[in-house]
Structure formats: structure tokens, C-alpha cells
Amino acid sequence: MLSVVLSRRGFAVMALWTNECGGNEEHVPAEVKAWRKSIGYLAEVYEPEGGTEAIAAAVKKACGTKTLSTIICGGESGVKVCDALCVYLNFRGNSIANGMENRRDKQIQQDSLRNSGIRAVKGLASTEWEGPVETFVDSQTFPVVVKPVESAGSEGVKLCKSKEDAKAHFHLLMNSQRAIGSVGAAVLVQEFLRGDEYVCDHVSKDGKHKTIMLWKYDKRLANGSQFVYFGMKPIPLDAPEAQSIIQYTRCAINAIDITNGATHSEIMMTKDGPCLVEVNCRCHGGNGAWMPLSSGLTGGYNQVTAAIDAYVDPKRWAAIPSIPPIPFLAGGLEVKFVSYVEGKVVGCPGYKKIEKLKSFSSMDAAVGVGDNIVKTIDLLTSTGSCILSHPDPKVVEADTAFIRKLEKSNKMFILDGVTPGPERDSGTSDRKSELQWAFEHHGASRKSVRGGSRDSLVDRVNESKMLEAQMKDIYESQISSLHKAVAGAGAVSVLLGAGLVAMAMKK
């Protein structure tokens, strides 16, 4: 969504896809797909051989007569290249000195926290099981967590209940190619943190950190995976745990020397206080489906818009407060869709039914006719999400229960050769009390819908030539007006990785 928002502000956008992207260029929501067809990138550059110098030369060549003015990391697989490129070209970014060439490495993050005197999770990373890793596992009380040092969306993360299980998953990760992460990267074995998991989203500029939103994850067991995303809810900043999580997160950001850009930090609130799971050095993912809700809660801004402000709009950045408003200006939550079946999709009736729910606000329909879906085991295998918002929490409870029934009875999608069956036990627990709690703390509720006709974007973006023409007219009109407003000054923004690195250019 960074590319779309930058385009609306009058920037031309260039995409720099890193080698770690792994074919994720199409892992974008329907709104971005429509934008790519109607306006699209000024250029798409694939990471060349030759290191940072060669990348910089390729980017400059693709700029043509335009001047590169901004580089923004838009995805997990763009972090390392973005940091190095910003340093090489002397752009606003983050230092790669003192071992921060790969600050997305989870073990580097934990070591940095520990060296700064901040609570860190116990763990070891290696490419070899025998030796220190095996010794560490022998010293732990099971279960332990085994995961890649480079990943996102719980990809490859497993809660192992025995030494044999941990060893087998360690070797599986070392011998497999992941969707996000470099080949041959180490595997991390950690103590299992017991508690509730939160997400603290920040945007930083010149070392000043602003909290954009605090969320609480709903991760549960499903399809044999312990870390399936079922959704998340916003946490008000006057909640008892909020301030300690925010202050801890800012210390963690400082420990890995983040001074500029967006961060998406996962924090476990344990009985001993907050403890870092990982800092994702880019915007909150999930196709940006949370953006309408976040904008409604804050009264108009979200992490994507704030990240852009930090780089290109000093006045807007100055207007963003250090923390979101208390109380929130709206209420709601995000529901992640979970698939219990797999096969080829020949129909998506569940999406249509969800759009008719009383609390429906917006949707990220990640699956279309002709797609192949698998059982959801992490964020990357989710089949989409929606935002529910309503003044009455009981309405949201009922609508959430309806969605879960669609999923468990296999009626979300029509699959080739698969007959919908009776509702199945997902192994999940009742979440009504949490939903009630969320709305009691949010104050007045307000519908928040992403700009434009979301229904048509979701349902017809891949088929409708009329929609493409309409969007092209809308975007070209917006950009034309913006160009006039700045007396002909344009810009190019370049995005790196599976998300992107945004680079802004002026004529």
C-alpha cells in the first residue's frame, strides 16, 4: 500500500525487488493490483549482481531524467538492501555499523537487547544442531520454539515439545527454502515465552519514535500449527499494560539502532513484564487490511501514511502525536480468515456473505477464482481478512461467530471436487469475553472504509476493464491536481523486497 499512497501524493514509484523476495511481487491486495494496471511503477528493478554499488547504479539508470529523493523499505525482504543502499547513497535511513548489516536477524536483535541491559529471550542461533544449540536445548524446559532467523508472518515457526521434535524441525528449516529469507540462513532455538502477544507499531525520524498503534494478536492452534493468526484488536493507550509495552518497545528500537522508518514489533507480555519476540524493520504487513481501522481509531492517520510523512512531509509528521488519542475515536477489530481445507477455488460465496454483515467495514479478499488454497498454518497461508466495526459489541461477536462457522463448515469457498461439510472443531476457545472487553475500552464506534469502492475492487478487479479505466481516471486526476499544486514538481518512490523499497524522485 505504500506505493498506492505515494502515488496519490504525486510521487512516481519505482520498485526494487531484492533477491530475497522469492517471487512475492504479486503478494499484494486487490487495490494495489488495480493501481499497477492503471498507473503502475515508473520502473521495476531486480537486484543485480555486484552488491550495493551495482544496485545503486541500476536504480539511478532506471530513474532516467528524474532525481531520486527518497528510499523507503516496504517489506521484510527489503530490509538489508534498503539499509545498505541508504548508507551508500547518503539517504535518510539506518546505520549498518556495529553489526547492523542484518538487523532483521532475530538473534542479532536479542543479543543487542541483552547487551543494552534490556530483557531478552534466551536462545541460540546456528546452522549446526550439534554443539551449543543441542546443549542449549538440553538445558531448557520443554516446549521450545524453533524458527528461522529471517522470516515473517510466523513462517517456519514451531513449538517443539521434545528434543527429537526440535532436532527434526531444525534440520527441516536448514534444508528448505522459505518464502521470506535468504538461503542457508541460521535457525534459532528459543525458550518459550508464556503470556499474551502484542504488536507495537512505530514510525521514527531522526531518532524520535512515535507510537502509531498498539494491537493484541489472537494466535491459536489450527491445522496442526500453534501460531495461526485469527485476528487482532487495538489496545487503548490507557490500558494497564500499554505504557510498559510502549516504553520497552522504544528501548528495543534504540538497541538495534533504528532511527528512521517504520517498525512492527512483536512483544510478549510475560509474568516478568514485556519481552521482545522480534522487531520487523518495516510497516505492519497483512496487505494493509488494518489501515482503515487504524485511521478511524486515530482520526485520520495510520502507519503507512505516517511512514511516508516522516520521509517527505515535515508538516504532517510534526502534526502526528507521540501516541494515539485516548480514548480511540472509533472501535473495531480485524478478523483473519482461516482455511481448514485445500484445493482449487471455483467460487468465493463466503466473501459475499461477509460483506452483508451488520458490522462489516472493509475486506482484504486474498483469494480469487482459479487460485489454489492450502490449510492455514501461518500469515502467508491466510485466505484474507476483514475489519468489523459496530457500536454494539454483541453485533461484532455474532458476526465473528458467523465467519468462524463459514470457515469450519467449509462454506467460505467452493473448491473443485470438495463438498461443504458439517462444522468441524478447530481446537479454538471462546473469544466472546475478549471481544466484549475490546469494545468496552474503545468508546464510540465509527465505520472506517478504505477509500474508493472496496466491493468492486475485491470482486472484479482482475476481470473488469471498466474498473481499470475508472481507477486510471481517478488516479491521473489526483496526480494532475497534485502536480499543479507543487508547480510541476513530481517524485519517484522506489520500493524494495517482497514489500518494496520506496524511492522518491523529483523532475
Side-chain angles (χ1 to χ4, degrees), residues 93-113:
N94 297 299
S95 172
I96 58 175
N98 302 315
M100 287 300 158
E101 295 89 350
N102 185 15
R103 59 170 39 84
R104 63 175 290 226
D105 185 306
K106 297 173 178 60
Q107 186 61 47
I108 290 176
Q109 293 181 1
Q110 296 293 339
D111 289 343
S112 297
L113 264 65

Side-chain angles (χ1 to χ4, degrees), residues 200 202 211 242-252 254 274 323:
C200 198
H202 280 84
T211 306
Q243 288 304 312
S244 63
I245 292 174
I246 289 173
Q247 294 307 316
Y248 173 89
T249 303
R250 292 183 179 184
C251 289
N254 286 333
I323 60 172

Side-chain angles (χ1 to χ4, degrees), residues 237-426:
L237 275 294
D238 56 355
E241 69 273 32
Q243 288 304 312
S244 63
I245 292 174
I246 289 173
Q247 294 307 316
Y248 173 89
T249 303
R250 292 183 179 184
C251 289
I253 294 172
N254 286 333
I256 63 172
D257 201 16
I258 291 284
T259 55
N260 292 289
T263 49
H264 170 66
S265 304
E266 298 175 354
I267 310 294
M268 191 70 72
M269 179 57 83
T270 72
K271 62 181 180 63
D272 300 319
C275 185
L276 179 72
V277 176
E278 62 191 49
V279 177
N280 299 284
C281 310
R282 38 78 179 174
C283 283
H284 189 141
N287 274 351
W290 43 269
M291 289 171 61
L293 177 57
S294 183
S295 294
L297 295 169
T298 63
Y301 65 90
N302 57 62
Q303 194 185 31
V304 168
T305 62
I308 293 172
D309 292 340
Y311 283 92
V312 304
D313 198 322
K315 289 185 178 180
R316 286 190 180 183
W317 169 254
I320 297 173
S322 178
I323 60 172
I326 303 174
F328 286 141
L329 304 181
L333 51 78
E334 181 183 24
V335 176
K336 291 284 186 186
F337 302 150
V338 177
S339 172
Y340 298 95
V341 292
E342 50 192 16
K344 185 176 182 179
V345 177
V346 295
C348 306
Y351 286 163
K352 287 291 188 181
K353 293 178 180 179
I354 292 171
E355 289 172 357
K356 296 178 181 179
L357 296 175
K358 289 183 179 179
S359 64
F360 175 78
S361 177
S362 62
M363 184 188 297
D364 173 30
V367 174
V369 173
D371 290 340
N372 288 298
I373 62 172
V374 296
K375 294 180 180 180
T376 302
I377 58 172
D378 52 26
L379 189 59
L380 296 176
T381 50
S382 170
T383 52
S385 66
C386 70
I387 300 298
L388 301 181
S389 179
H390 196 277
D392 185 352
K394 292 183 178 179
V395 173
V396 177
E397 291 174 11
D399 288 351
T400 302
F402 176 82
I403 294 171
R404 297 308 178 204
K405 188 172 183 179
L406 279 177
E407 296 169 337
K408 289 184 281 186
S409 60
N410 301 334
K411 294 179 180 178
M412 179 73 85
F413 306 104
I414 299 174
L415 302 180
D416 188 19
V418 178
T419 302
E423 184 175 329
R424 63 183 63 204
D425 181 10
S426 66

Side-chain angles (χ1 to χ4, degrees), residues 124-126 128-138:
L124 281 176
S126 178
E128 299 289 339
W129 170 263
E130 291 76 14
V133 168
E134 185 176 13
T135 301
F136 172 78
V137 171
D138 289 336

Side-chain angles (χ1 to χ4, degrees), residues 183-254:
V183 178
V187 173
L188 178 61
V189 181
Q190 292 180 328
E191 65 170 312
F192 175 55
L193 296 173
R194 290 172 172 82
D196 294 325
E197 187 172 2
Y198 294 79
V199 171
C200 198
D201 291 337
H202 280 84
V203 174
S204 306
K205 180 179 181 180
D206 297 332
K208 181 178 181 180
H209 312 306
K210 295 187 178 183
T211 306
I212 307 302
M213 191 57 58
L214 178 64
W215 310 89
K216 185 178 181 181
Y217 272 150
D218 179 4
K219 285 185 182 180
R220 297 180 244 161
L221 173 66
N223 296 318
S225 175
Q226 298 93 342
F227 304 103
V228 174
Y229 293 77
F230 278 76
M232 64 180 185
K233 63 184 181 184
I235 301 300
L237 275 294
D238 56 355
E241 69 273 32
Q243 288 304 312
S244 63
I245 292 174
I246 289 173
Q247 294 307 316
Y248 173 89
T249 303
R250 292 183 179 184
C251 289
I253 294 172
N254 286 333

